[in-house]
Amino acid sequence: MRTLDRPIAPGGMIGIVGGGQLGRMLAMAAARLGLNACIYNDAPDAPAFQVTPHHVVAAYDDKAALEAFAARCDAVTFEFENLPAPAIARLAERAPVRPNPEALAITQDRLREKSFVASLGLEVAPFAEVNDEAGARSAFQTIGGPGIIKTRRFGYDGKGQQKVTSAGEAAQAMAAFKGAPCIYEGFVDFAFEASVVAARGGDGAFAAYDPPENIHENHILRRSIVPGRLTPAQGREAKKIAQKIAEALDYVGVLAVELFVPPAGTLIVNEIAPRVHNSGHWTIEACAVSQFEQHIRAVAGWPLGDGARHADAVMENIIGAEAHAWESLARGGAVHLYGKAESRPGRKMGHLTRLSPLTRA
Ligand code: AMP
């Protein structure tokens, strides 16, 4: 695997796998630092293509295209973490890959991820590996219900998961996932959800943003509020959790840890996103250095920036047809539209951030 021997100077090329809104905002942050971004996407209409002239359109398992892409780049990173492992290995032969392939492999797989987090002594929901209908029944009986059958790979925004309240339902859910390897997870009775977005540099430096409270609707993030209902002590605990995970993964770049905040007691880790995260979009306006710039800095071997929050913020996603009201949205705060031509239901079209004076540093 290639490593980065020295920081990438302005004018260098950062490869970004995935051309959605996260890739778009990463490319814009790279441009601000005088760095170029080359986007790799499997379809030609990627939102990120609109903000940089350097693109590759090819399948995520196209060996020749991956090699040619990596050869153009001084380092490669991801906005989309579900690349097949052989593809990541191929990139890593030609360019430094940040975060490292092992960190991606762990976080791509819910079973490996949960086992890894638990091995660090952090709290997770009770879980068990499930590979067939009989396994689903017995996991339900051992852990108890209600619970959720989740596919181990490729889940996002509630896809690949099914809430179940009986052993029979658990078996049915397993059948519906057509033999895909799954986990069964006991349902957590949380007070609310939160996340912590943090960065680790190549030199081991660590910087975490203040953790927002997150509100979901229909399994999609609706709003992130900072400061939310986390107490200052819970905020510190969340940052320590992120640091422990980042260090154990020898992580370089930005990662997000999604958390369940119980009515009392220790924070529970739901999942790790090995990339910039929707719940960190508010950092663009409310912090001197946003999560996007922080990630590019880490990937390029630059010093991490100051992630301190200078305002309170509420970030609201603009979903589906809501984007048609762009004129009135523009009156409401800092509006971001991702350049997606078609507004399908549930599709993240943009976001809106409103700032207010800092109430709690
Ligand atoms: P995930 O794809 O694992 O992030 O799950 C998506 C959403 O489903 C979470 O943000 C929660 O709202 C809910 N969820 C997932 N796992 C659990 C669980 N074990 N207990 C309660 N709610 C959950």
Side-chain angles (χ1 to χ4, degrees):
M1 192 184 122
R2 293 283 193 99
T3 53
L4 195 66
D5 305 324
R6 67 182 87 85
I8 299 169
M13 182 71 81
I14 309 291
I16 299 171
V17 176
Q21 62 268 21
L22 302 179
R24 176 179 171 109
M25 290 185 274
L26 283 167
M28 284 156 67
R32 205 175 86 154
L33 300 176
L35 292 161
N36 298 297
C38 181
I39 308 289
Y40 191 113
N41 196 71
D42 68 350
D45 58 349
F49 286 179
Q50 298 166 8
V51 302
T52 169
H54 314 289
H55 321 149
V56 175
V57 181
Y60 289 122
D61 60 358
D62 181 329
K63 293 173 189 157
L66 287 163
E67 278 177 12
F69 166 70
R72 281 168 76 176
C73 299
D74 297 302
V76 169
T77 191
F78 306 84
E79 65 118 49
F80 162 77
E81 68 268 28
N82 283 318
L83 219 57
I88 296 171
R90 201 162 283 276
L91 293 172
E93 280 166 23
R94 299 283 165 116
V97 162
R98 298 179 142 192
N100 66 71
E102 180 64 8
L104 291 166
I106 291 172
T107 55
Q108 277 179 355
D109 177 343
R110 288 187 192 275
L111 179 64
R112 286 193 69 188
E113 177 179 271
K114 284 235 160 14
S115 309
F116 165 76
V117 172
S119 77
L120 299 179
L122 300 171
E123 205 73 38
V124 292
F127 68 97
E129 178 177 3
V130 173
N131 293 310
D132 52 28
E133 293 177 39
R137 284 179 191 279
S138 83
F140 186 93
Q141 272 143 12
T142 312
I143 290 174
I148 306 181
I149 297 277
K150 298 182 177 181
T151 56
R152 282 173 59 174
R153 295 174 64 92
F154 306 126
Y156 73 98
D157 286 352
K159 293 184 176 66
Q161 49 179 286
Q162 175 82 48
K163 189 173 174 189
V164 297
T165 56
S166 68
E169 276 182 24
Q172 274 170 20
M174 198 57 212
F177 290 135
K178 299 190 174 70
C182 288
I183 60 168
Y184 175 72
E185 212 179 281
F187 205 74
V188 176
D189 198 13
F190 54 78
F192 60 92
E193 295 185 75
S195 59
V196 53
V197 175
R200 189 165 174 271
D203 58 357
F206 177 80
Y209 293 101
D210 286 341
E213 173 180 347
N214 298 323
I215 292 153
H216 295 87
E217 279 171 19
N218 306 318
H219 294 283
I220 299 171
L221 183 67
R222 173 83 263 178
R223 174 173 322 114
S224 290
I225 305 166
V226 57
R229 279 179 282 168
L230 289 123
T231 63
Q234 285 174 324
R236 288 192 294 275
E237 186 191 349
K239 291 179 183 180
K240 278 198 191 131
I241 289 171
Q243 186 162 15
K244 199 166 197 180
I245 290 172
E247 284 174 0
L249 291 171
D250 193 20
Y251 196 90
V252 176
V254 165
L255 87 177
V257 182
E258 297 179 12
L259 300 163
F260 297 136
V261 183
T266 317
L267 299 176
I268 299 163
V269 174
N270 174 29
E271 67 176 356
I272 305 166
R275 51 172 168 76
V276 289
H277 194 256
N278 195 169
S279 70
H281 290 0
W282 59 273
T283 62
I284 296 175
E285 284 83 15
C287 300
V289 171
S290 75
Q291 63 163 351
F292 300 100
E293 179 175 334
Q294 200 72 302
H295 186 69
I296 296 293
R297 282 174 175 249
V299 169
W302 288 32
L304 293 185
D306 178 7
R309 183 166 59 83
H310 55 69
D312 288 358
V314 177
M315 187 285 315
E316 186 112 22
N317 272 332
I318 300 168
I319 298 167
E322 291 164 11
H324 297 155
W326 54 270
E327 256 185 298
S328 66
L329 289 165
R331 284 189 202 102
V335 74
H336 298 246
L337 295 167
Y338 304 147
K340 297 181 184 179
E342 214 192 315
S343 64
R344 292 191 289 272
R347 194 174 197 204
K348 291 174 184 167
M349 302 299 291
H351 71 268
L352 180 71
T353 301
R354 295 188 188 89
L355 298 182
S356 52
L358 192 69
T359 54
R360 197 167 79 206

